[in-house]
Amino acid sequence: MRAAGLNTVETYVPWNLHEPQPGVFDFGHGGTDMHNFLHIDEFLRIAKQEDLLVLVRPGPYICAEWEFGGFPSWLLKNVTTVRSSKDKNYMSYITRWFNMLLPILALFQFQKGGSIVGFQIENEFASLSIDDPAYLNTLKKLFIDNGIVELLYTADAPEYTHGIIPGVLQTANVGSMSQIINGIKTMHSRQPNKPNMVMETYTGWFDHWGEYHHTTSAESYLPYLKAILDFPASINMYMFVGGTSFGFMNGANDDTRGMNNSGLKLDTTSYDYDSPISEYGNISNKFTLISNEIIARNPVKTKLPPLPNITAPVKYPSIIAQGQILLADIIDESNEKIISEDILSMEQLPINNNSGQSYGYIVYRQTNLDLPTNSVLKISGYVRDTVLVLLNGKLVSPAPVSAENVKGFGFWQLYNSTLNLNNTELQNATLDLVVENFGRCGYGALDQFQQYKGLTDDVFVNENKLTHWTIIPLEFKTSWNKKLNSWKAVGNTTDTPALYKFSLNIREEPKDTFVSLMTWVKGITIVNGFVLGRHFFIGPQQTLYLPAPFLRKGVNDIIVFEHYHSPGYLDFADHPIFEQVGHVQTLNRGAQLKTLISFFQNLYVMVSA
């Protein structure tokens, strides 16, 4: 960024990672799965070392296509409304969070010798079209009371006025040339004696599952950049550096602007954004052209650092699955079971210090069911967000074979979904409904933030309501993942939800790579205990970025949880693959044979060495 001529870096602070349970905080040493990402003090020190100023967007709501817009999921259990002064519990939680966060940030202010020159209050609040000055002014007071002396600002589309706070700089988020030309003028007329700042102008865009991969050419972006700089106004490019929503941190959008799930659009794990600096650190032509425009307009010529050497990702050899654990066995062997008369959502579970379950999967189990032939399961309301139905440990819900199937049973779009369970009479049967949180909505109206996950409505068999549930959380936390040890030889891999274990032996220093999931259907990948991200055959994302620091020299354990079909092998790539796919890839024997040959050739080389 410094080599491009930029002088400032802007970053969000995700509340849900820093306070995963009420009153339990992690700023890098809290031991949570994401703790290595949470050293905000280190980030700010590095920025100063690199001669970059910092703008901080601490929320409490951040959007960012991030899970629940950065809100911790336990809010759902304890508040009725977010982003509103009307909910006293919500306001008390914000106060506690900011009273913990802001004193840390205050130490790094520019006037205190640090790098922070500005703080954003909330995020695009005006888009709610709600007048709540009490909420915004309370947030402003929290900043001031916690020793913040730098510039305070808001960020909204310039045509909105609901988010304006007296005494606070208004900045603009713009997405079109007319917004730039007319919007900045409008904003300037409101605050004629203040600087003009565009807080978001979009160098690319993010992807939802099932869409084509979004790209924005440098030639189409440059007119926006030039118009803003020539106004003149300061500019923040969103995004300049692409990223990754590791683990379960991807968010979602909702086209229905309501509480049903039918319009949910789930974000991919990759947040590459077609940025000037890619998800894996690659420099694009967009980077060079933007840099030239910035440097040409800078009246004060400063010494810029040279571009760093970019280490290209590598393609590690394909590897064969060494073990399998059936999902049914995971459920049977779980030690954490909650008995409940009625359905409970993830957030309502009495776990994690009574803060509920945030991420992963949740199992709803019924035992000792007597099922006549052709019994019908009915899940009322919406599945939030996907469901696997196991009967006596066997998958009975249909595996998708095309993108069109995602509109049917097992997925979030279907209301009051039904499934024929059996074609023969069964006695004392066990029924498991395995529901995945695929990502909470991170943008929209207030009612779109009532994002409970799991099941929220009654379940019936042959129109008889099922009660007295055994509920089993499957959170896939690192500590749990590392203890998985009941691996068996790989058996059936078709219509079989299971975990597959792989060993990647690296003899040199690890390099960046991509895990290729093009021949898998749906699930998650875990590397050395850490959930890397999701795969879904419909694309566009077909690879998962695996940074070198996640790997170690020697043996690395990789686990893939697959909902439906496994090819039995795992491929790697030296570049990201974005491809929208209409049908599940055929697992042909030629590809499997090729992988086996590659595996044994690699094994021979290692043994010879």
Side-chain angles (χ1 to χ4, degrees), residues 56-232:
V56 180
R57 306 172 87 168
Y61 162 70
I62 63 171
C63 184
E65 287 69 60
W66 191 254
E67 223 277 347
F68 205 21
F71 286 134
S73 66
W74 49 259
L75 280 178
L76 290 166
K77 188 175 182 178
N78 299 290
V79 308
T80 56
T81 306
V82 296
R83 306 180 74 186
S84 171
S85 63
K86 294 177 178 146
D87 192 303
K88 302 307 179 187
N89 285 341
Y90 173 68
M91 298 305 295
S92 69
Y93 292 132
I94 287 176
T95 300
R96 180 178 66 193
W97 162 233
F98 270 12
N99 286 346
M100 175 62 70
L101 171 67
L102 295 179
I104 296 173
L105 299 179
L107 299 174
F108 294 91
Q109 296 181 96
F110 186 80
Q111 295 180 56
K112 306 292 184 182
S115 52
I116 302 176
V117 294
F119 296 83
Q120 182 173 303
I121 297 179
E122 243 270 354
N123 187 77
E124 296 181 321
F125 184 80
S127 65
L128 296 178
S129 298
I130 295 172
D131 275 319
D132 195 346
Y135 173 56
L136 296 175
N137 282 300
T138 298
L139 294 179
K140 176 184 176 182
K141 187 174 185 301
L142 283 169
F143 279 93
I144 295 170
D145 289 349
N146 279 286
I148 301 303
V149 296
E150 301 296 341
L151 174 72
L152 298 177
Y153 63 91
T154 60
D156 291 292
E159 61 266 25
Y160 294 135
T161 59
H162 294 86
I164 294 175
I165 307 172
V168 173
L169 179 70
Q170 181 189 12
T171 71
N173 294 351
V174 296
S176 68
M177 189 61 75
S178 62
Q179 264 193 325
I180 292 172
I181 296 172
N182 300 320
I184 300 178
K185 288 180 180 178
T186 300
M187 190 174 63
H188 184 69
S189 67
R190 293 192 196 117
Q191 42 185 23
N193 298 318
K194 293 183 179 180
N196 301 305
M197 174 74 190
V198 173
M199 191 52 61
E200 289 185 12
T201 178
Y202 307 105
T203 61
W205 203 247
F206 57 93
D207 294 331
H208 295 122
W209 291 109
E211 296 178 344
Y212 288 101
H213 177 53
H214 289 89
T215 58
T216 302
S217 69
E219 291 74 18
S220 63
Y221 175 72
L222 284 181
Y224 298 108
L225 175 70
K226 292 178 181 179
I228 294 168
L229 293 177
D230 292 342
F231 187 83

Side-chain angles (χ1 to χ4, degrees), residues 519-575:
T519 51
W520 297 73
V521 184
K522 187 166 193 340
I524 60 174
T525 297
I526 303 164
V527 177
N528 292 326
F530 179 78
V531 176
L532 191 66
R534 308 180 194 267
H535 66 269
F536 196 9
F537 77 96
I538 62 175
Q541 182 177 0
Q542 301 292 347
T543 53
L544 285 170
Y545 173 47
L546 175 50
F550 287 14
L551 297 167
R552 56 187 175 232
K553 192 174 181 180
V555 177
N556 294 268
D557 296 323
I558 301 178
I559 297 170
V560 179
F561 171 38
E562 169 56 48
H563 292 194
Y564 301 106
H565 312 308
S566 164
Y569 61 87
L570 194 62
D571 288 333
F572 297 88
D574 58 8
H575 63 281

Side-chain angles (χ1 to χ4, degrees), residues 29 31 43 183 213 269 272 280 305 386 394 410 412 462 476 539 542 561 564 568 575:
H29 303 284
F43 179 91
H213 177 53
T269 294
D272 181 82
Y280 60 103
T386 74
K394 303 295 183 182
W412 60 92
N462 300 328
F476 285 96
Q542 301 292 347
F561 171 38
Y564 301 106
H575 63 281

Side-chain angles (χ1 to χ4, degrees), residues 244-261:
T244 311
S245 301
F246 289 116
F248 301 110
M249 289 299 110
N250 67 280
N253 294 86
D254 183 2
D255 279 352
T256 64
R257 299 189 66 80
M259 290 180 63
N260 73 60
N261 244 30

Side-chain angles (χ1 to χ4, degrees), residues 317-501:
S318 301
I319 48 181
I320 302 295
Q322 297 180 332
Q324 179 189 54
I325 304 177
L326 300 181
L327 175 61
D329 293 339
I330 292 286
I331 297 169
D332 288 340
E333 296 167 8
S334 175
N335 293 321
E336 191 165 28
K337 298 179 179 179
I338 297 101
I339 305 301
S340 175
E341 183 67 15
D342 295 309
I343 289 287
L344 296 175
S345 71
M346 279 187 173
E347 299 80 7
Q348 295 170 314
L349 296 187
I351 63 174
N352 296 319
N353 294 325
N354 207 36
S355 64
Q357 179 181 350
S358 295
Y359 315 113
Y361 298 74
I362 183 171
V363 183
Y364 299 92
R365 166 167 281 196
Q366 289 282 329
T367 56
N368 301 317
L369 289 177
D370 293 334
L371 300 176
T373 302
N374 295 324
S375 290
V376 176
L377 169 74
K378 177 183 177 181
I379 301 175
S380 59
Y382 292 92
V383 172
R384 301 171 186 270
D385 300 300
T386 74
V387 62
L388 299 169
V389 180
L390 307 183
L391 190 58
N392 291 333
K394 303 295 183 182
L395 181 69
V396 294
S397 51
V401 295
S402 71
E404 188 67 21
N405 295 147
V406 176
K407 299 177 182 178
F409 184 89
F411 297 94
W412 60 92
Q413 298 181 52
L414 203 58
Y415 182 69
N416 287 346
S417 53
T418 59
L419 176 70
N420 192 304
L421 288 174
N422 56 317
N423 52 22
T424 60
E425 183 179 351
L426 294 174
Q427 302 290 322
N428 297 319
T430 297
L431 175 70
D432 291 312
L433 309 179
V434 185
V435 183
E436 172 196 21
N437 168 8
F438 204 171
R440 294 184 181 87
C441 188
Y443 178 80
L446 292 182
D447 52 6
Q448 289 174 249
F449 286 91
Q450 302 308 310
Q451 287 286 306
Y452 299 95
K453 293 299 180 180
L455 296 180
T456 58
D457 299 279
D458 293 330
V459 176
F460 302 84
V461 169
N462 300 328
E463 299 301 327
N464 297 312
K465 178 183 172 180
L466 298 180
T467 58
H468 197 70
W469 293 89
T470 299
I471 303 177
I472 303 161
L474 295 177
E475 300 178 279
F476 285 96
K477 290 183 177 179
T478 297
S479 57
W480 184 85
N481 298 336
K482 288 183 174 181
K483 292 178 182 177
L484 290 168
N485 57 16
S486 54
W487 298 100
K488 298 181 176 64
V490 176
N492 185 37
T493 60
T494 302
D495 292 329
T496 304
L499 281 66
Y500 297 87
K501 182 179 181 180

